[in-house]
Amino acid sequence: MDSATVVVGIDNGGTTNNATVLTLDGRFLVDRLVETPSRVQEGPEAAVAAMADAFDGVLALTGVPREQVGAVGLDTPGPASASGVISSKGSTNFSQPAWRGYDVRGALERRLGLPVVYHNDGNAAALYAHHVHFGADAMRRSSVSAIVGTGLGGGLVEHGRVISGAAGMAGELGHVHIPMNTVLAPGQPVPICACGFAGDVESVVSLTAIEHNLLPYWLTRFPGHPLIGESPERAAKLVRGYGERGDELAREVFAQQARALAALFTIASNFTDPHAYFVGGGVVETDAAFRDWFLAAVREHTLLRAEQAALATFALVPDRDMAGARGVALAALEAVRALPSPPPLVGD
Ligand SMILES: [Zn+2]
């Protein structure tokens, strides 16, 4: 493995792929999104061809010859196994029947003729947050990341590596049950998650939760609120802007989400006792004052022992759009570094 070796990271999404290139000494060669169509809805064959296009495209853009690529990192939305086999139940992104049980990691590996390392998108973003935050200390630190979107993603990182679990289902933080007594207002119904659980993290901390669980309750407490006139879907998206402007209802909604994340982090503190607690996603892609208020609320309600509080950091997940590609690129880099050095060339 010579010093010119690079790895490529490909973040696969519902409509686009984003690709990046990382050098062996840890430098990203692109500082922005490099997007191409993902063609996921056309089925696995078209999608794998599109990933290969993303790979070729980012190499052309950075002027790196293909021979210098040592490994590739790939992330997709879940659910998928730790080795990159899409769930046999299917999912929103992989709705075409041909995707069910499809080994997307293996398919890309065969297509490119290079080792491919796989993580789901939440785990990839968690890995990126961890490495950016800790830098040179990353392999000696642990963290938990909660990333709020349509659902709740994220992951657990221990000694700089993602905890995948036996079946690849570790770090499914959205479906961890949390005590509701510190989260709900008096008389508020116990929220239900899309997974069927009552009172798990995602049932409170997700865009879906705002639409289905939180706003239907809070709008009854604020008669005459302007969001009453909106469709539930639109109201759920608008509530963040109201929060930034200090609207009382919106602040109740986000305070509730902050308490739920704090309940999750309290569990994490007793489970893996991480060095850092990261929050990312739409909920923190807001103006600085709102973001700081939200993170401070999470920190305030996370119940740490004094010894833990002295060490623990609470921080935001950076560069969310690029986190997936960069996270799996870091995983690929780690895989390349772990490979035994090739034997020296002999001959004349
Ligand atoms: Zn759930």
Side-chain angles (χ1 to χ4, degrees), residues 174-175 193-195 197 200 202:
H175 310 297
C193 180
C195 76
F197 284 170
D200 65 12
E202 187 173 303

Side-chain angles (χ1 to χ4, degrees), residues 12-17 36-41 93:
N12 166 261
T15 53
T16 56
N17 290 322
T36 47
S38 71
R39 301 172 65 194
V40 164
Q41 302 303 335
N93 271 279

